[in-house]
Amino acid sequence: MCRILFSIILAICVSFGVFSQNEIQLRNKMLSDSINKKLPTLKSSTARINALYDIFDLAPQDSVVATGERVLQAAMKAKDYASALDMLRRLSSFNIGKDSTLISKYMGELKKIPISPEREATECFIYLCAMTNQARYSSEADRFHRLTELTKRYRAEKKSDKSAVNTRIVLLFTICNYLDMSMPGEIMTIYLEELEKLLKKMDYRLDGLENMFYLHSAMAYTYNDQPARAVAADRELMKVIDRLDHQAQSDGRKFRNYDRFRYSVYRRMLINADALSPDEIEETFRKITELRDKNQAVADDMAHNPRAEASYLMAKGRYTQAVPLLENSLQAERAFATRRLLLRMLVKAAAETENKELLTQTAIEYNQILENTLKERTLQRGQELRVLYDVTDDSASATASDLIGTAKGNRTTVVAIVAIVLLLLATILFIVLYRRTRKISEKLLETNDMLTAERDNMQRTQTSLIEARDEARKANRHKNNFISNMSHEVASPLNAIVECSHILVDNANEEKRHYLDRFARTIDVSAEMLRTLINDVLEISNAEAGTLPIQRTTVPLRTLCVAAMENARLHLDNPRVTLRWANENEATQVIYTDARRVEQVLVNMLLNSIKFTEEGFIELAYKVDTVGGTTTFTVTDSGIGVPEGKEELIFERFEKLSPMSQGAGLGLSICRMIADLMKGKIYVDKSYEGSGARFVFTIPSTP
């Protein structure tokens, strides 16, 4: 009883993503071992088959075949043919692209089962698995030859209209597989439409077969830039998955999970978001997040390749957030068709965010992708025309031979009829072939023109962006030079003004000196404010130009903090505010950093607190993390605090909490730039619950 309860609790935890992937594998093994130990005690064949199914559903990839064949043997022995057919389909599907000999073996096992509509449908499914393997491992020449032969056979079967539906489904599905490997263009989409109609005529609607078809269709339509058809196919695929899931629940398969299948469908629907309404986009992404929250495998995939979230953000017009996710997705994605779609989105996002450098880089790769797509589709159209020509030409030859054979018995009376029939037949075939060829050629020309125009536009855009980038860099250099020169030019006359003011005061008589001294101090304060503004602008300019030096050395923390505190005291003229240092009585520690830049940040943080604290305290503190190799400084005050929602805004340039406060709003912005250059970070501590605010500055402090 305890073992059963443990199994149920463990299954719930696994399904809701409580464990990591490695932990899930370990617990699956524990569950599987537990069920294996219980097997000898099970009396009925049904209970034994159900237990073996649980072991199969829990099996890792390298044990699927072995555990599946155990289920198959038990089902065959018990004459549970429904379970046997189900397992034959699962094993055959698992071995697509792997072991063809095993699929042949399963076809042999199938023949031991009595004939029924389900068996015939299963035979169709297993044969298609074998044909998929054959198409995958054939050479290009063999594929083309096989494709021509299959097309002839299908046309003959379709023309006679006497063959079984299953036979025509196998032929047409196999043709689509070969087309998918060699030329997944418009002909394949036409055949897919025919195949869907045939599937609906089957005596036994096999969910596995429809699952294979709609997955195939959705991927083909996505490749051919037909989002509406791709979404329609994925909706049908989701219905099939729901039926399979419902059937598994009805059969008591508590360990069978279809979350990964649903996730793949929803992810593909989002990449075809042009065919979805805004509400459908929201609903699709909501379902993906639900799957992520309860399934660790889905969460791991989204972390490795966030293309689902990137597609959602693009569909919502949130381009700035989409850019880094699209870049990560491109690094993880290897499929050519998917990379083309992701690059198209990244080009759009870069253009919308006016990120010219990213747009230039992305446009180059996207342009290459378009050129490759143009060449590939041109080649596909040529192959499609060749297949059509070979099939039609052979049909005409066969028809002519048949007519001549029937005419041998009475040459003198039917020569004219044969000639007329041949002429009419040849004319009809020529017209049909001509129309098809012209239609395909027109589509080819239209596609070529579209891709060529898009490529030319991308090349022009790329050239324009490169020119704009160079102009921007040139303008940026001029700006930096201007700021640097102006800073030096302003500093000299400013110093002269200050010195002259003091000379005037010193040379005045005693009666006027006291009066003039007040104006001299005003000039000193104003000059200091102007110097600070000039230095701040110069610092920002150097940081943007990459010329702000970072020179790390060993420095005592006491030296840094004392220098920052003394500098801040010079600007503190409010007796109601106490400036204190929390680590004053501690033994000094030595860190490895740029003392000048750290002191600059600490002074700016302290001056910022002085501006917004009317009464109370301002406290500087630090904490050294020897394990992590970092040092964290904090400046805490009892001032007006930072309004909720503005914790990041205050680090932007020229942003001030109060328009009446002194300064240009550059101090904290410079702190953020210096922190970034030092590979550190600075932020407002949102968790601080006291009155006022706490600013945190963290830097690496070891060599």
Side-chain angles (χ1 to χ4, degrees), residues 438-455:
R438 186 177 66 178
K439 189 174 181 180
I440 293 175
S441 298
E442 288 173 353
K443 289 184 178 180
L444 174 61
L445 289 172
E446 184 181 337
T447 304
N448 287 350
D449 290 342
M450 180 185 69
L451 290 172
T452 302
E454 191 168 353
R455 182 199 62 192

Side-chain angles (χ1 to χ4, degrees), residues 440-507:
I440 293 175
S441 298
E442 288 173 353
K443 289 184 178 180
L444 174 61
L445 289 172
E446 184 181 337
T447 304
N448 287 350
D449 290 342
M450 180 185 69
L451 290 172
T452 302
E454 191 168 353
R455 182 199 62 192
D456 293 341
N457 286 334
M458 292 302 299
Q459 287 177 339
R460 286 193 293 272
T461 303
Q462 179 183 335
T463 303
S464 300
L465 288 171
I466 290 172
E467 292 174 356
R469 181 198 63 192
D470 294 341
E471 288 295 326
R473 287 177 177 174
K474 184 178 179 181
N476 192 50
R477 285 196 300 272
H478 289 325
K479 180 202 72 174
N480 292 335
N481 291 336
F482 173 77
I483 291 173
S484 179
N485 293 335
M486 287 301 298
S487 299
H488 294 298
E489 292 298 326
V490 171
S492 297
L494 186 63
N495 291 333
I497 291 171
V498 173
E499 290 174 4
C500 287
S501 68
H502 284 286
I503 290 173
L504 290 173
V505 173
D506 292 340
N507 292 326

Side-chain angles (χ1 to χ4, degrees), residues 198-210:
L198 284 175
L199 285 171
K200 293 177 180 178
K201 294 180 181 179
M202 288 185 73
D203 294 334
Y204 187 89
R205 295 284 295 275
L206 190 63
D207 285 332
L209 198 57
E210 293 191 13

Side-chain angles (χ1 to χ4, degrees), residues 124-136:
C124 178
F125 180 87
I126 296 176
Y127 182 78
L128 286 173
C129 293
M131 289 299 98
T132 301
N133 271 6
Q134 187 180 36
R136 182 168 296 180

Side-chain angles (χ1 to χ4, degrees), residues 20-61:
S20 69
Q21 199 61 25
N22 290 335
E23 290 172 330
I24 290 172
Q25 292 174 359
L26 178 62
R27 282 158 177 76
N28 283 354
K29 186 177 184 308
M30 292 171 62
L31 279 169
S32 182
D33 292 344
S34 173
I35 298 170
N36 258 318
K37 290 178 182 178
K38 191 174 64 174
L39 270 174
T41 65
L42 300 176
K43 304 300 182 182
S44 71
S45 59
T46 301
R48 184 175 176 81
I49 291 170
N50 288 337
L52 287 170
Y53 254 116
D54 287 341
I55 295 172
F56 173 78
D57 291 335
L58 291 166
Q61 289 288 307

